[in-house]
Amino acid sequence: EVTIRPLDAYGALAYLRTRDDVLADRVALQGWSNGGSATLAAMANTAPGINSLTPATGFRIALAFYPACGLKRKFPDGIRPYAPVWMFHGTADEEVSPPGCAEFAARSRASGGDVHYAVYPGATHGFDDPGHSHRKNPANSVAAHDAIKRAIALLAGVLKP
């Protein structure tokens, strides 16, 4: 998620920019779990193999749902992304460390990064999974509803031409 997947994200961006039905300077990056971790690494100003990105030449915004934020210890001071990054976590996440990600977001902001952290009390990993087992937890439903609402608003606000 730190070395190869960011290159995959930029390969996909290059492909999207060849399409007539895509506004080339209006593409977002979004990932869940491991994909959320890859999203964070891809948005770092030191992403591998990526040079001189801006919101117009790279992604306009990135949304990372319940990523692990250790990122192979490649970003001890967090990231300073070239575009806004939003992270979404539940406090009862059983697979990654929400406190660790809150610290990662704080370190990123302290180094000048436009990184936002939304946390949902009682929500678990995969809180937006529509499956019955996740919906049994009322906190997951609340988190999913709010995160989807926020994501739509954030994407609409940043991607409108």
Side-chain angles (χ1 to χ4, degrees):
E1 67 244 12
V2 175
T3 56
I4 302 300
R5 290 181 184 168
L7 297 175
D8 292 340
Y10 287 102
L13 178 63
Y15 165 73
L16 289 172
R17 290 205 161 132
T18 68
R19 297 183 52 93
D20 292 337
D21 60 342
V22 173
L23 295 174
D25 66 340
R26 304 284 173 181
V27 180
L29 179 60
Q30 186 167 317
W32 291 260
S33 196
N34 283 337
S37 300
T39 294
L40 296 177
M43 295 303 291
N45 59 338
T46 57
I50 310 302
N51 295 316
S52 303
L53 288 172
T54 69
T57 62
F59 296 101
R60 282 280 177 177
I61 189 171
L63 308 178
F65 289 80
Y66 32 88
C69 299
L71 302 173
K72 312 288 186 205
R73 297 187 181 124
K74 299 281 185 193
F75 305 99
D77 297 324
I79 59 172
R80 213 171 69 218
Y82 61 87
V85 171
W86 278 80
M87 298 172 17
F88 302 88
H89 273 104
T91 61
D93 193 315
E94 63 284 4
E95 294 187 34
V96 301
S97 170
C101 285
E103 291 171 14
F104 175 84
R107 286 192 311 271
S108 297
R109 285 190 302 275
S111 69
D114 189 2
V115 177
H116 307 269
Y117 186 70
V119 64
Y120 299 104
T124 63
H125 195 82
F127 61 75
D128 56 344
D129 182 332
H132 178 69
S133 64
H134 280 83
R135 294 286 70 91
K136 287 192 302 187
N137 177 349
N140 286 346
S141 294
V142 169
H145 176 76
D146 184 74
I148 290 168
K149 182 176 149 186
R150 280 192 202 201
I152 290 169
L154 288 164
L155 293 171
V158 173
L159 298 179
K160 284 184 181 175

